[in-house]
């Protein structure tokens, strides 16, 4: 993601905002996203207009910090003014700002005029309404440059960019192991027996929790490779790869999955998966994941070796659970078997540590009652 | 609550369209594997069952999921569940 178009503001100057509050909607390659606020305070001013395309890191609004510690009101602007920007880990600030009046910007959006094409006719170089109308008249025969492209194509391009970067820069190593799922599935079956349909837990929830706990066990796989060094995640936020009906995928984060109960994770599935498929995710859900989990078993795939989503350092792949011959206590029997794989960044970890992760995952799934 | 075949078929189609809006369940061969044909994953399959549960007011135990693979087995299963609910 390199840019986003502001769709609407959810706040106005003077509003008091809190951390995590949804302050704006932006349209990106990954659909419409709710932008959350990083700070607490009072909205001083909004720096962008609906329809405006903003590069990642662009200043969106100025939020004045809390003044609780100040007994008297000061007329001078306080120094602790924080800026809310389009979020992405490697944020940069925008270049020179376009000088345009809000009304002109709004009109340009309505008419589908790209702001870069506009020039101010006033002496101060500020683009006014008349400049927009003029440009519109001159360009009546050309197609609308602001009209959004086909969402599918954009998602395809975003995936292409991320995956090319990964295969260009990330030295992957791959490990796989087979896990006997009989205990986990038997436990889940008895757990689901007395639950109404809507409260039943899917095997995918059980395995996600086991993956989260295993990432907690092996923290070197949970985080990012940035500026030639590993930075561990601020929690275990598992990105769950969700396939889109028309092709493409998104991987919204299940925050602190290692601390959530199976019921909480199941409720998050009911919340996240429909929103992911309809393109209604929040900014923190799209940017916070510390590792990704892909579940390709549903459509019959037995083993998946995934491509890491940079700057993450690990991708866990789970295949279809199938009945397979299994040796237990010197006897051959049929067991439900899951093939779990790990694709990991060799800059951050070595195969031995990766192997310990898959071992931890196996052990976790042998004691499902503790998940 | 007893229901006729048309009501059951309609409930199945409406519930399937909820999870696979672009699909036309009516054109599905009776013997085709529903989940494979309509690319329904385990999450969507659960949504499908929840929708059926609401429309037909029947419970579907997890142990019976295997009986719901084709349209023909699905319809006869729903038929038996609805009749069972009526007598019970």
């Amino acid at each position: 993601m390199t840019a986003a178009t502001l769709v609407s503001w959810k706040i106005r100057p003077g509003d008091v905002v809190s951390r995590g509050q949804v302050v704006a909607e932006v349209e990106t390659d990954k659909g419409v996203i709710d932008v959350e606020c990083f700070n607490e305070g009072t909205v001083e001013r909004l720096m962008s207009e609906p329809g405006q395309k903003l590069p990642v890191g662009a200043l969106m609004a100025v939020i004045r910090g809390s003044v609780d510690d100040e007994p008297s009101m000061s007329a001078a602007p306080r120094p602790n003014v924080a800026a809310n920007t389009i979020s992405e880990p490697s944020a940069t600030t925008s270049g020179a700002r376009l000088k345009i009046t809000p009304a002109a910007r709004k009109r340009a959006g309505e008419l589908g005029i790209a702001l870069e094409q506009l020039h101010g006719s006033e002496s101060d170089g500020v683009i006014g309404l008349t400049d927009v109308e003029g440009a519109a008249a001159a360009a009546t025969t050309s197609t609308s440059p602001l009209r959004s492209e086909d969402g599918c194509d954009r998602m395809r391009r975003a995936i292409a960019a991320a995956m090319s970067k990964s295969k260009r820069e990330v030295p992957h190593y791959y490990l796989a192991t087979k896990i006997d799922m009989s205990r986990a599935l038997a436990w889940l079956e008895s757990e689901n027996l007395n639950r109404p349909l809507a409260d039943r837990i899917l095997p995918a929830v059980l395995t996600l929790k086991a993956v989260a706990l295993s990432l907690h066990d092996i923290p070197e796989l949970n985080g990012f490779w940035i500026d030639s060094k590993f930075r561990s995640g601020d929690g275990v936020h598992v990105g769950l790869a969700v396939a889109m009906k028309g092709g493409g995928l998104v991987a919204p984060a299940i925050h602190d999955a290692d601390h959530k109960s199976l019921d909480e994770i199941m409720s998050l599935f009911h919340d996240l998966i429909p929103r992911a498929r309809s393109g209604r995710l929040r900014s923190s859900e799209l940017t916070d994941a510390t590792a990704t989990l892909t579940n390709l078993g549903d459509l019959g795939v037995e083993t998946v070796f995934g491509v890491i989503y940079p700057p993450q350092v690990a991708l866990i792949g789970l295949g279809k659970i199938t009945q397979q011959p299994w040796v237990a206590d010197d006897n051959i029997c049929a067991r439900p078997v899951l093939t779990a794989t790990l694709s990991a960044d060799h800059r951050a970890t070595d195969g031995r540590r990766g192997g310990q992760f898959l071992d931890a995952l196996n052990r976790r799934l042998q004691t499902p009652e503790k998940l | 609550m007893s229901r006729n075949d048309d009501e059951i078929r309609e409930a199945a189609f409406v519930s399937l369209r909820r999870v696979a809006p672009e699909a036309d369940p009516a054109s599905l061969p009776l013997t085709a594997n529903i989940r494979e044909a309509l690319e329904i994953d385990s999450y969507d399959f659960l949504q499908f069952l929840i929708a059926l549960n609401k429309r037909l007011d029947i419970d579907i135990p997890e142990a019976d999921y295997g009986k719901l693979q084709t349209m023909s087995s699905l319809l006869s299963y729903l038929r038996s569940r609805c009749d069972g609910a009526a007598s019970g």
Side-chain angles (χ1 to χ4, degrees):
Chain A
M1 180 171 120
T2 55
T5 304
L6 179 62
V7 175
S8 69
W9 279 113
K10 302 287 180 199
I11 50 169
R12 284 183 305 187
D15 285 359
V16 175
V17 291
S18 55
R19 244 180 106 83
Q21 183 179 337
V22 173
V23 294
E25 284 183 330
V26 296
E27 191 186 7
T28 71
D29 300 333
K30 293 164 180 167
V32 176
I33 296 172
D34 291 335
V35 176
E36 296 153 287
C37 189
F38 309 134
N39 320 99
E40 291 183 349
T42 306
V43 180
E44 179 115 332
R45 61 184 182 277
L46 306 178
M47 305 294 285
S48 34
E49 290 284 314
Q52 189 178 356
K53 191 167 186 179
L54 302 161
V56 165
L59 188 66
M60 291 181 73
V62 177
I63 293 160
R64 186 195 288 257
S66 164
V67 290
D68 290 348
D69 53 340
E70 187 68 60
S72 64
M73 284 299 288
S74 165
R78 292 187 52 80
N80 61 334
V81 168
N84 208 52
T85 61
I86 293 262
S87 61
E88 187 93 327
S90 55
T92 55
T93 48
S94 61
R97 284 186 48 77
L98 196 65
K99 292 176 177 174
I100 181 167
T101 66
R105 198 184 290 279
K106 181 163 177 284
R107 188 74 184 125
E110 287 165 4
L111 293 169
I113 303 288
L115 298 177
E116 307 85 71
Q117 296 177 346
L118 295 171
H119 303 284
S121 57
E122 308 276 331
S123 55
D124 54 5
V126 175
I127 299 160
L129 208 50
T130 49
D131 300 314
V132 177
E133 303 281 0
T140 40
T141 51
S142 66
T143 53
S144 165
L146 262 192
R147 202 178 58 203
S148 57
E149 303 163 68
D150 180 44
C152 239
D153 285 354
R154 287 198 305 171
M155 178 174 280
R156 199 69 258 152
R157 280 213 301 277
I159 293 170
M163 295 299 99
S164 302
K165 179 183 164 68
S166 179
K167 279 288 176 170
R168 207 164 46 232
E169 296 176 8
V170 182
H172 289 61
Y173 69 87
Y174 306 96
L175 305 174
T177 199
K178 288 189 174 184
I179 297 175
D180 175 6
M181 289 293 285
S182 49
R183 281 199 192 94
L185 292 184
W187 179 83
L188 192 60
E189 200 180 310
S190 65
E191 186 65 29
N192 279 339
L193 201 58
N194 297 314
R195 287 166 176 258
L197 262 166
D199 293 343
R200 280 180 206 161
I201 294 166
L202 288 168
V205 169
L206 204 66
T207 49
L208 186 141
K209 178 71 186 289
V211 164
L213 289 170
S214 307
L215 284 168
H216 177 88
D217 294 342
I218 315 289
E220 297 96 319
L221 291 173
N222 184 61
F224 312 98
W225 186 262
I226 297 171
D227 297 336
S228 301
K229 62 172 192 281
F230 175 72
R231 294 185 195 176
S232 58
D234 60 350
V236 178
H237 310 314
V238 179
L240 176 68
V242 177
M244 310 291 280
K245 294 286 185 190
L249 66 102
V250 287
I254 298 200
H255 293 114
D256 299 308
D258 54 333
H259 293 302
K260 289 200 158 71
S261 70
L262 297 176
D263 283 310
E264 286 171 322
I265 297 173
M266 190 66 223
S267 316
L268 277 170
F269 270 40
H270 285 306
D271 172 40
L272 277 178
I273 294 175
R275 281 199 290 118
R277 291 201 166 131
S278 60
R280 296 291 320 197
L281 291 167
R282 298 190 190 105
S283 51
S284 64
E285 290 162 349
L286 279 172
T287 53
D288 287 355
T290 52
T292 299
L293 169 64
T294 180
N295 245 309
L296 274 187
D298 273 329
L299 295 170
V301 172
E302 224 172 88
T303 311
V304 48
F305 290 104
V307 180
I308 295 167
Y309 184 64
Q312 293 169 21
V313 298
L315 183 137
I316 297 94
L318 301 179
K320 182 185 173 72
I321 299 171
T322 54
Q323 287 292 117
Q324 289 183 24
W326 189 266
V327 177
D329 303 325
D330 284 340
N331 289 313
I332 297 176
C333 47
R335 290 275 167 90
V337 174
L338 167 72
T339 301
T341 65
L342 170 72
S343 305
D345 187 335
H346 217 325
R347 296 171 302 183
T349 57
D350 303 319
R352 185 174 161 279
R353 203 68 180 129
Q356 287 172 336
F357 169 82
L358 288 180
D359 188 47
L361 180 61
N362 183 18
R363 276 186 290 105
R364 294 282 186 184
L365 286 167
Q366 300 315 316
T367 51
E369 67 283 356
K370 291 184 187 164
L371 289 173
Chain B
M1 186 188 312
S2 193
R3 295 177 189 273
N4 67 36
D5 286 348
D6 285 346
E7 284 174 323
I8 289 171
R9 183 181 298 267
E10 176 65 15
F13 286 3
V14 170
S15 305
L16 273 177
R17 278 193 211 100
R18 280 193 54 165
V19 296
E22 64 290 329
D24 177 17
S27 68
L28 208 62
L30 280 173
T31 54
N33 182 303
I34 298 171
R35 288 186 54 182
E36 283 173 16
L38 302 183
E39 294 186 25
I40 294 172
D41 62 21
S42 57
Y43 175 76
D44 278 344
F45 189 67
L46 182 62
Q47 298 309 301
F48 166 60
L49 298 183
I50 291 171
L52 272 179
N53 167 257
K54 281 191 186 140
R55 273 191 94 80
L56 295 173
D57 196 25
I58 50 164
D59 183 39
I60 302 169
E62 205 174 45
D64 289 350
Y65 287 6
K67 300 175 186 171
L68 312 172
Q69 296 195 342
T70 67
M71 188 59 80
S72 128
S73 65
L74 169 73
L75 293 175
S76 58
Y77 175 81
L78 295 177
R79 162 93 275 163
S80 71
R81 293 298 293 185
C82 288
D83 289 350
S87 62

